[in-house]
Amino acid sequence: MPAEVICSKQPAFAAKGVVAASHPLASTAGAEMIAAGGNAIDAAIATLFTLTVVEPMMVGIVGGGISHIRLADGSHRLIDGLGRAPLAAEPNVYTPISNTMPNYLETEGRVNAVGANAVAAPGSLKTWCEMLELYGTLSLSDVMEPAIRYASLGFTVTPYLSECINEALSDLVLDPVISSIYLKDGEPLPAGARLVMPEYADTLRAIAAEGPSALYGGAVGQAVAAYLGKAGGLLTIEDLMAYKSIERDVLRATYHGVEIVCPPPPSSGGVHVIQMLNLLEGFDVASMGFGSPASLHLILEVLKIAFADRSAVTADPDFVDVPTEWLISKEYANERRPDIDLAKAKEWTAGLALPESPNTTHVTAADGDGNIVATTQTINSTFGARIMIPGTGIVPNNYMYVFDPHPGETLSILPGKRVTTSMSPIIAYRDGKPVLALGLPGGLRIFGSAMQALVNKFDHGLSIQEMVEAPRIWTQGHGVEIEDDFPQKVDRALKDLGHEVMRVPHVGGGMNAIEFCGDGRMAGASCWRADGTPVGLSGGYAREGARFWPD
């Protein structure tokens, strides 16, 4: 079994602040804000705006997400900026083509996944601007400057971005506007090409000048709504103007004395991370050793239990009664734990688990004053609805693909209903002090990957870099996905326990995390599964009394 993790990247240690995001230019933009005297909130928002330029396949201003903020006074804010079904969206708005997986979500013409009819009311821009106004220190124009710079002057396409363009190529070629930006002669922009987005730069300038109202009722929003409406979409300017973010209470739990602070529903991530940790707490996971068949078998069994319960928590709590407190209780874990067989895999009854897009991004930022941000954002599929709003450079979400197109189900479409998610931006404490903040993209694989990171850190003692890069495993109750970095003998051992094992290149996406070392330093880490890069800021101003002495 692997005694160590072979890391592809290096952590960044700093004292004044760290930003870890899925592109080096985005992390640098956040670090610029801290260098300019801003805080972690300023840094996170600058990073997100820059990611809409340099990681456009994953995140955009017409997207959604969840932001977890820990302020310097120790209080937490959980901002729900997830997408909402348009007010015109009725349960039967789409025609499903199947009542069974794997085509359960598919509709006639794929209209819930690609094109104007797939776009839900977005929360990203509104929540980013609200966070900045309430908790930041810099102006909107200041934090947007790096994004405008890279959109107008251009940046170098990475191999990862080029590959993502290729992944969506069959849909992108159908839209001449988006093709004019990301394709050349019908082929994906190659790695090393220069990508310039002048129209998007103008859109960002309008937002910097007018604020979020530019989209939520202003000229930018009018352009978005007019184009989508003409193309047969559901989203209207009234949907944009009616959108409101929601501040929710965080969930709290303990794992071997470490306090874990997570998001609540409509994210199922926090619920299931806590549920699985509660189950694991009754076993001596540490003595099993990292990567051992015994520990991996146990992780797989608690994942199965979580997915068996997931149908109860993957819904907007304003529309569905969610039994959150019971599912995250130690009592519930005590009831379920005796059913786990350490000697063989079991079948667990699972509710319907609809797939979520793994194409998301995550930013973790912290400053020297104790402010921390862990925020996960998305436009859902790679390049969202795979169209571009003419004249704006905006790639809108395809969040409607997350809903159940069949009427009468827990996740069915209703006007104004929020989408559900597995996003898990987590902050952990020991003895009342922050020790870890993390998050990642990956759809259904997010919360299982986040749980494994916490186990690897607090049970197996991995370093922060090892934690984010460690190989992962996943199941939702049937076949098992195991990353290639595990030794082959692990497969044989798991098969002997009754698991159906399948090798995959990666489970989930690029994790970005910050560890608080207790000596005034922070360590940022990003993993190999994306272009993630941590950037740290140390040093500081001159000592008081220092002045220039002439020769």
Side-chain angles (χ1 to χ4, degrees):
M1 304 321 115
E4 60 180 0
V5 178
I6 306 301
C7 295
S8 301
K9 301 183 181 183
Q10 297 294 322
F13 291 90
K16 300 297 182 182
V18 171
V19 182
S22 293
H23 195 286
L25 294 180
S27 299
T28 302
E32 280 186 48
M33 300 304 115
I34 295 176
N39 63 17
I41 294 85
D42 301 313
I45 302 306
T47 303
L48 288 170
F49 274 115
T50 303
L51 284 169
T52 70
V53 179
V54 300
E55 202 186 24
M57 64 287 198
M58 302 296 184
V59 60
I61 57 174
V62 182
I66 292 178
S67 296
H68 186 180
I69 304 171
R70 189 265 190 188
L71 297 174
D73 63 7
S75 62
H76 284 251
R77 304 289 188 273
L78 196 292
I79 313 300
D80 176 348
L82 293 167
R84 293 177 61 200
L87 299 175
E90 297 293 339
N92 61 351
V93 70
Y94 303 121
T95 303
I97 66 171
S98 175
N99 292 324
T100 59
M101 289 295 189
N103 297 316
Y104 184 83
L105 281 183
E106 304 302 325
T107 63
E108 289 186 2
R110 297 177 64 219
V111 293
N112 64 333
V114 177
N117 218 356
V119 183
S124 286
L125 179 62
K126 178 175 278 287
T127 55
W128 299 354
C129 293
E130 289 174 350
M131 289 165 56
L132 183 71
E133 182 178 0
L134 290 171
Y135 309 117
T137 63
L138 301 178
S139 69
L140 182 60
S141 60
D142 283 341
V143 302
M144 292 186 68
E145 190 279 329
I148 295 170
R149 183 197 320 154
Y150 293 122
S152 59
L153 299 180
F155 64 97
T156 302
V157 173
T158 67
Y160 182 52
L161 172 53
S162 181
E163 179 57 36
C164 287
I165 297 172
N166 187 61
E167 177 189 329
L169 185 62
S170 61
D171 290 324
L172 297 182
V173 296
L174 303 177
D175 184 79
V177 183
I178 201 169
S179 295
S180 69
I181 300 296
Y182 299 114
L183 307 183
K184 183 178 181 180
D185 299 326
E187 297 296 327
L189 284 178
R194 193 77 177 168
L195 177 53
V196 182
M197 306 177 184
E199 291 182 336
Y200 188 54
D202 288 340
T203 295
L204 293 176
R205 290 188 186 100
I207 293 168
E210 302 170 34
S213 62
L215 176 62
Y216 296 93
V220 174
Q222 295 283 355
V224 171
Y227 177 75
L228 294 177
K230 186 177 179 180
L234 299 167
L235 189 75
T236 66
I237 194 66
E238 287 76 25
D239 287 301
L240 293 171
M241 295 175 67
Y243 188 91
K244 288 181 171 55
S245 64
I246 299 177
E247 183 172 326
R248 301 188 186 274
D249 293 332
V250 294
L251 302 181
R252 296 176 182 266
T254 59
Y255 182 64
H256 296 315
V258 176
E259 184 181 27
I260 310 296
V261 188
C262 302
S267 169
S268 62
V271 172
H272 292 314
V273 167
I274 292 173
Q275 176 190 22
M276 290 186 291
L277 291 176
N278 284 341
L279 289 165
L280 291 173
E281 197 170 34
F283 300 94
D284 189 358
V285 178
S287 69
M288 296 178 182
F290 165 72
S292 69
S295 67
L296 295 178
H297 167 70
L298 186 55
I299 285 170
L300 291 171
E301 293 303 292
V302 301
L303 274 166
K304 292 177 187 178
I305 293 173
F307 272 99
D309 291 331
R310 188 176 184 271
S311 60
V313 295
T314 51
D316 184 341
D318 289 339
F319 289 78
V320 176
D321 185 19
V322 181
T324 300
E325 294 304 317
W326 175 238
L327 287 169
I328 67 172
S329 68
K330 302 286 188 185
E331 292 79 9
Y332 180 65
N334 292 339
E335 282 190 11
R336 298 301 301 270
R337 192 181 300 113
D339 294 332
I340 297 173
D341 190 334
L342 294 179
K344 66 178 181 180
K346 292 182 62 174
E347 292 291 330
W348 302 86
T349 302
L352 180 65
L354 298 183
E356 296 175 35
S357 170
N359 304 298
T360 305
T361 199
H362 179 86
V363 175
T364 304
D367 60 39
D369 294 325
N371 298 292
I372 305 169
V373 179
T375 177
T376 311
Q377 302 287 326
T378 190
I379 50 175
N380 198 43
S381 295
T382 311
F383 290 101
R386 298 184 175 177
I387 58 173
M388 182 175 283
I389 309 299
T392 70
I394 293 173
V395 178
N397 70 79
N398 70 333
Y399 253 142
M400 295 305 292
Y401 190 57
V402 176
F403 288 107
D404 189 335
H406 302 76
E409 304 296 337
T410 301
L411 300 180
S412 295
I413 300 165
L414 289 172
K417 188 176 185 179
R418 266 170 154 75
V419 300
T420 58
T421 182
S422 295
M423 293 176 180
S424 304
I426 293 170
I427 300 174
Y429 289 80
R430 181 181 278 119
D431 299 327
K433 297 179 180 180
V435 292
L436 187 66
L438 64 85
L440 74 154
L444 288 178
R445 292 156 182 80
I446 290 177
F447 62 79
S449 299
M451 175 269 290
Q452 289 173 69
L454 295 172
V455 169
N456 289 339
K457 168 54 67 176
F458 299 123
D459 281 310
H460 300 309
L462 298 191
S463 71
I464 184 70
Q465 192 64 45
E466 291 171 333
M467 182 198 81
V468 300
E469 296 208 48
R472 302 169 186 161
I473 197 164
W474 183 81
T475 185
Q476 68 177 59
H478 304 293
V480 169
E481 295 180 4
I482 181 169
E483 284 190 343
D484 287 334
D485 285 354
F486 280 109
Q488 288 292 331
K489 58 185 177 182
V490 171
D491 299 43
R492 294 192 297 272
L494 291 176
K495 289 176 181 177
D496 289 343
L497 290 167
H499 297 284
E500 297 179 10
V501 179
M502 176 180 65
R503 285 272 164 170
V504 295
H506 62 89
V507 169
M511 182 175 289
N512 293 301
I514 298 175
E515 182 177 21
F516 304 92
C517 304
D519 57 0
R521 295 184 308 152
M522 294 169 264
S526 299
C527 83
W528 55 266
R529 298 171 182 88
D531 290 333
T533 304
V535 175
L537 187 72
S538 288
Y541 299 130
R543 185 184 296 178
E544 185 177 354
R547 64 183 187 275
F548 173 69
W549 290 93
D551 292 335

